[in-house]
Amino acid sequence: MNLFELVREKDVCWEYAEKLDGNKVRCKFCLRVLNGGISRLKHHLSRLPSKGVNPCNKVRDDVTDRVRAIISSKEDVKETSSVKKQKIAEVRAPGNMSASSKITTLEASSPVSKVFPAALSIAASTLSDQENVERSIALFFFENKLDFSVARSSSYQAMIDAVGKFGPGLIGPSVETLKTVWLKRIKSEVSLQSKDAEKEWATTGCTIIADTWTDNKAKALINFLVSSPSRTFFHKSVDASSYFKSTKCLADLFDSVIQDIGPENVVQIIMDNSFNHTGILNHILQNYGTIFVSPCASQCLNLILEEFSRVDWVNRCILQAQTLSKYLYNNASMLDLMKKFTGGQELIRTGITKSVSSFLSLQSILKQRSRLKHMFNSPEYSTNSSYSNKPQSVSCIAIVEDNDFWRAVEECVAISEPFLKVLREVSGWKPAVGSIYELMTRAKESVRTYYIMDESKSKTFLDIVDRQWRDQLHSPLHSAGAFLNPSIQYNPEVKFLGSIKEDFFNVLEKLLPTPELRRDITNQIFTFTRAKGMFACNLAMEARDTISPGLWWEQFGDSAPMLQRVAIRILSQVCSTFTFERHWSTFQQIHTEKRNKIDKETLNDVVYINYNLKLARQMKTMSMDSDPIQFDDIDMTSEWVEESENPSPTQWLDRFGSALDGGDLNTRQFSAAMFGNDPIFGL
């Protein structure tokens, strides 16, 4: 055997082929005979559209991945010399030969170009390099029905940067590699990030969030998340449909989650009103003496706003405003004219719920009052028969010119804004247990002050607030948090400290259940309330209103060590489940009985990664100016736009009071309408 044959025999790909006479080989998978030796076999097994070789239709995915890696590594070795040759060719090429003509050749291999080769080749040849890249990315989005909001993700740009750094010739990972190697690796990375958050639990404690969705087919899915100051992460999803009405079964489920996290770490469990709250509450109180069960503050605030919107004159005002918005948003030329007068600004807003959308939109319309009046009175409007002669035009002009309508809008904004402010504070991921009591007190006072001359209206709205606050929202933990918040405790204008002291003492007894733990607690409370010891230093006094209450106690609470430990654990908790991402179609697929065990495990891992990456991204961007209760995109199927009397089936949000995921609503609904509900992630 000569040296050439010896090298050839060592090629790892020979294990997939049988050597025949001459330069022929037989594929061991499909038994096809190929001319050209081991090189042709590699391209056959790689299933790449190159070298004119028919791809193998029976080769295993792991073999394809291995062969592609071999081809790629050999092409990397050749790259240096090929780049030099390309540069020489470019120098010799005629000056009128554009760069885009080289890209056109690459474009010809795309699936779309195979269907429409002539038209797309001509289109691509007229584009710049940047446009060709964008075109290729756009084709990828359209062919695979991707939500346009994917382009907002940080990983999207990171992927483009990595591909650009690699250069041409990159072979993407196969389906099998994605489902095995990379799924395992990235899940491990995400899990490590969660482990880092767990380290703070001994000091700050954590909150278990039970996020629930039920439908009219008796389906009940519960997502469990764990929140602490550094981050919130997704723990798991459970299908509780068969026992959702059983207190014992739900109690056992909560037991298992508490044990997963560690009872000593859990300060609070937040659940929405879908649960049999009383039964679970009693179970946890009996079995876990130091854990509190609290309602979702955001859900309760949304119920307050929802009841506000049902008040007769408020509902009438909203309907009039919707008449105006539907007219403007259902005519392209009318919409263009509106944006010309508003400086390109939208008239309506989409919030996390129907009621939030309504009050945000009324705020927006009020800001545009003078511009809307100017538009409807302008020659551009009155002389254009395409919209001035429409039947709706008369109604809209009457609304815009109606002073009673604008007074009603002003009132709606005045009574809703204080509660929208509270909703923003409790929905923005930061610990808010120490501030919600004061925020709600101030919101109520705003309504009382606004209606100081109209006791009847004041009572109407304050009764709604008090009913929700008393029956659902208020928790002893909120009172204790307010008592321990230095910006409240040392504020001479605060009048409610005496009324919450009893709740505070009850919470202390729960968190410090033995006499030994409470030995010096009375003296420590006195030291704190009278601002003695380290509490009296200039730094502590200056920081009362400038840093978070939990951090303030960590820095300046050493004069009261046991009270410091309790304060940090209480003040480090969130008080809301709202604004967490919800992809119920995905979770439903996890729990479907049609899937085998392997598929379910894979999809569970994908959802675990997907959810936690989005949560991490939200945590990073929460300090920016984005509004946690408002989406960037307008829901074009909402009742602020849609003229149909029948509500869109995609508006399940309004039926269940759930939060959307913040994606491009129009894109998701268009995709569902056009393509149906494809299996998520191709599993």
Side-chain angles (χ1 to χ4, degrees):
M1 182 180 295
N2 59 34
L3 181 61
F4 174 77
E5 290 176 329
L6 182 63
V7 172
R8 186 180 65 178
E9 290 294 338
K10 289 184 177 180
D11 195 310
V12 294
C13 290
W14 278 113
E15 65 181 279
Y16 310 128
E18 176 186 352
K19 187 170 67 172
L20 303 176
D21 293 339
N23 201 25
K24 296 181 179 180
V25 294
R26 177 184 286 114
C27 173
K28 289 185 177 180
F29 296 101
C30 66
L31 303 181
R32 181 188 293 271
V33 176
L34 303 168
N35 289 314
I38 197 66
S39 176
R40 301 273 285 183
L41 176 77
K42 290 176 184 175
H43 288 283
H44 171 67
L45 297 176
S46 73
R47 296 189 288 202
L48 293 172
S50 58
K51 305 294 183 181
V53 183
N54 290 322
C56 183
N57 57 6
K58 295 185 178 181
V59 62
R60 301 195 311 270
D61 285 340
D62 62 311
V63 174
T64 294
D65 293 343
R66 185 182 185 188
V67 174
R68 287 186 178 187
I70 293 171
I71 294 173
S72 179
S73 63
K74 290 190 176 183
E75 287 178 350
D76 286 344
V77 174
K78 297 176 182 178
E79 186 176 351
T80 304
S81 60
S82 65
V83 168
K84 289 181 180 179
K85 291 178 181 178
Q86 181 180 350
K87 288 182 177 180
I88 294 172
E90 288 175 355
V91 171
R92 294 176 180 175
N96 62 352
M97 192 171 183
S98 67
S100 62
S101 62
K102 291 178 286 185
I103 298 177
T104 305
T105 306
L106 297 175
E107 291 288 341
S109 62
S110 73
V112 180
S113 65
K114 290 178 179 178
V115 182
F116 308 108
L120 289 183
S121 295
I122 294 171
S125 65
T126 63
L127 302 178
S128 65
D129 288 0
Q130 170 75 19
E131 289 172 325
N132 265 299
V133 171
E134 290 183 4
R135 173 178 170 277
S136 296
I137 294 171
L139 288 175
F140 174 72
F141 269 73
F142 303 151
E143 182 187 354
N144 294 286
K145 302 172 291 184
L146 296 182
D147 190 323
F148 299 151
S149 64
V150 169
R152 294 195 186 101
S153 69
S154 57
S155 55
Y156 169 72
Q157 186 58 46
M159 174 188 69
I160 291 174
D161 291 342
V163 172
K165 185 176 181 181
F166 183 92
L170 173 66
I171 299 173
S174 69
V175 171
E176 193 61 31
T177 303
L178 289 171
K179 287 173 64 175
T180 54
V181 176
W182 285 109
L183 183 62
K184 182 178 179 181
R185 285 189 191 178
I186 294 179
K187 183 187 177 185
S188 177
E189 292 175 14
V190 172
S191 297
L192 284 175
Q193 294 174 6
S194 300
K195 294 293 182 185
D196 289 340
E198 293 175 18
K199 296 175 183 177
E200 70 180 354
W201 291 352
T203 302
T204 67
C206 64
T207 293
I208 293 175
I209 296 169
D211 202 12
T212 314
W213 176 66
T214 58
D215 65 10
N216 54 7
K217 297 180 180 178
K219 192 77 172 176
L221 306 180
I222 308 173
N223 289 336
F224 288 97
L225 301 96
V226 184
S227 180
S228 56
S230 67
R231 68 167 297 171
T232 296
F233 69 87
F234 171 73
H235 179 56
K236 67 178 179 179
S237 178
V238 176
D239 182 359
S241 304
S242 61
Y243 55 85
F244 192 67
K245 299 299 181 181
S246 168
T247 298
K248 183 183 183 307
C249 292
L250 285 177
D252 291 342
L253 172 61
F254 275 83
D255 277 340
S256 69
V257 175
I258 291 171
Q259 293 302 321
D260 287 345
I261 307 304
E264 71 283 0
N265 295 320
V266 181
V267 175
Q268 174 188 221
I269 297 173
I270 294 179
M271 59 182 71
D272 59 42
N273 57 13
S274 301
F275 290 98
N276 180 357
H277 187 277
T278 304
I280 299 175
L281 172 63
N282 291 335
H283 172 83
I284 294 173
L285 289 176
Q286 291 172 8
N287 291 274
Y288 303 99
T290 60
I291 297 178
F292 293 84
V293 178
S294 303
C296 170
S298 291
Q299 187 177 50
C300 293
L301 282 160
N302 181 65
L303 290 174
I304 289 173
L305 292 170
E306 194 174 295
E307 285 199 52
F308 280 8
S309 67
R310 293 199 193 108
V311 174
D312 287 343
W313 67 265
V314 176
N315 184 53
R316 185 166 57 252
C317 175
I318 290 172
L319 291 175
Q320 286 180 299
Q322 288 175 350
T323 298
L324 186 61
S325 65
K326 289 175 183 177
Y327 173 59
L328 296 174
Y329 277 87
N330 280 280
N331 183 299
S333 57
M334 189 68 249
L335 186 59
D336 289 340
L337 183 64
M338 181 206 79
K339 289 190 176 181
K340 178 181 177 181
F341 277 84
T342 62
Q345 296 182 43
E346 299 287 357
L347 190 66
I348 59 176
R349 301 285 183 266
T350 297
I352 53 178
T353 64
K354 175 181 175 180
S355 56
V356 171
S357 296
S358 293
F359 289 112
L360 288 175
S361 294
L362 288 178
Q363 280 186 14
S364 178
I365 288 172
L366 184 61
K367 289 178 182 178
Q368 301 294 343
R369 171 168 49 181
S370 60
R371 293 176 178 178
L372 288 172
K373 286 187 174 183
H374 183 42
M375 180 190 72
F376 280 107
N377 288 313
S378 70
E380 293 172 85
Y381 179 80
S382 59
T383 59
N384 192 323
S385 59
S386 64
Y387 29 75
S388 61
N389 290 339
K390 285 181 175 292
Q392 305 98 310
S393 175
V394 176
S395 300
C396 290
I397 292 174
I399 291 171
V400 169
E401 297 298 331
D402 185 357
N403 290 331
D404 289 340
F405 166 72
W406 289 113
R407 277 193 292 271
V409 173
E410 288 175 351
E411 280 192 53
C412 289
V413 170
I415 61 171
S416 63
E417 175 53 31
F419 297 96
L420 290 173
K421 181 180 179 181
V422 180
L423 188 57
R424 287 186 179 94
E425 289 296 319
V426 301
S427 300
W429 296 98
K430 61 185 178 182
V433 164
S435 59
I436 186 171
Y437 196 102
E438 182 191 24
L439 289 168
M440 287 298 295
T441 302
R442 290 183 182 275
K444 289 171 59 179
E445 191 59 36
S446 294
V447 174
R448 189 176 290 111
T449 301
Y450 184 77
Y451 283 127
I452 195 168
M453 302 298 291
D454 193 334
E455 187 177 344
S456 175
K457 280 191 175 180
S458 177
K459 186 177 186 305
T460 296
F461 293 106
L462 290 180
D463 282 353
I464 292 172
V465 176
D466 288 340
R467 185 166 58 253
Q468 292 293 340
W469 173 257
R470 180 184 63 248
D471 296 345
Q472 290 199 55
L473 180 53
H474 178 57
S475 162
L477 206 60
H478 298 157
S479 296
F483 192 89
L484 292 166
N485 188 334
S487 68
I488 296 174
Q489 180 65 228
Y490 301 123
N491 185 349
E493 296 182 4
V494 171
K495 308 298 183 185
F496 58 73
L497 281 174
S499 64
I500 64 175
K501 188 178 288 187
E502 184 178 353
D503 275 346
F504 167 64
F505 288 144
N506 290 335
V507 169
L508 276 185
E509 289 183 13
K510 186 176 175 71
L511 294 179
L512 303 174
T514 64
E516 290 76 20
L517 291 173
R518 298 193 296 266
R519 180 176 297 122
D520 194 39
I521 199 67
T522 302
N523 290 333
Q524 292 183 27
I525 294 171
F526 181 83
T527 301
F528 165 58
T529 56
R530 298 300 175 89
K532 296 182 177 296
M534 287 185 64
F535 297 122
C537 74
N538 288 332
L539 286 175
M541 290 190 289
E542 292 167 0
R544 288 171 182 173
D545 300 312
T546 58
I547 64 174
S548 67
L551 181 58
W552 186 87
W553 271 95
E554 184 180 335
Q555 295 296 319
F556 307 111
D558 294 356
S559 299
M562 185 54 68
L563 188 61
Q564 178 189 44
R565 179 178 182 275
V566 171
I568 291 173
R569 288 176 72 84
I570 292 175
L571 295 168
S572 296
Q573 308 312 313
V574 296
C575 55
S576 174
T577 66
F578 248 32
T579 73
F580 293 111
E581 305 267 358
R582 296 190 179 197
H583 298 284
W584 296 115
S585 60
T586 304
F587 294 116
Q588 281 181 299
Q589 288 191 49
I590 295 175
H591 304 297
T592 179
E593 296 301 321
K594 295 179 181 179
R595 293 195 174 278
N596 60 44
K597 184 177 180 181
I598 296 175
D599 267 355
K600 284 187 177 181
E601 289 176 356
T602 301
L603 187 53
N604 258 311
D605 289 346
V606 172
V607 171
Y608 176 83
I609 294 170
N610 177 268
Y611 210 139
N612 280 306
L613 288 177
K614 289 188 175 183
L615 288 170
R617 185 186 72 223
Q618 287 188 355
M619 291 292 288
K620 287 180 181 178
T621 59
M622 72 176 177
S623 60
M624 300 173 65
D625 295 331
S626 59
D627 190 340
I629 65 172
Q630 179 182 315
F631 298 134
D632 295 330
D633 303 301
I634 292 177
D635 182 358
M636 300 301 285
T637 66
S638 79
E639 55 193 0
W640 284 84
V641 178
E642 194 174 56
E643 291 184 312
S644 171
E645 293 183 1
N646 298 319
S648 167
T650 59
Q651 295 300 296
W652 57 267
L653 161 71
D654 299 335
R655 297 198 299 274
F656 301 109
S658 304
L660 290 173
D661 64 5
D664 186 328
L665 302 177
N666 305 331
T667 304
R668 284 188 282 108
Q669 291 158 357
F670 171 79
S671 179
M674 289 295 291
F675 306 110
N677 296 317
D678 287 353
I680 305 297
F681 307 114
L683 297 175

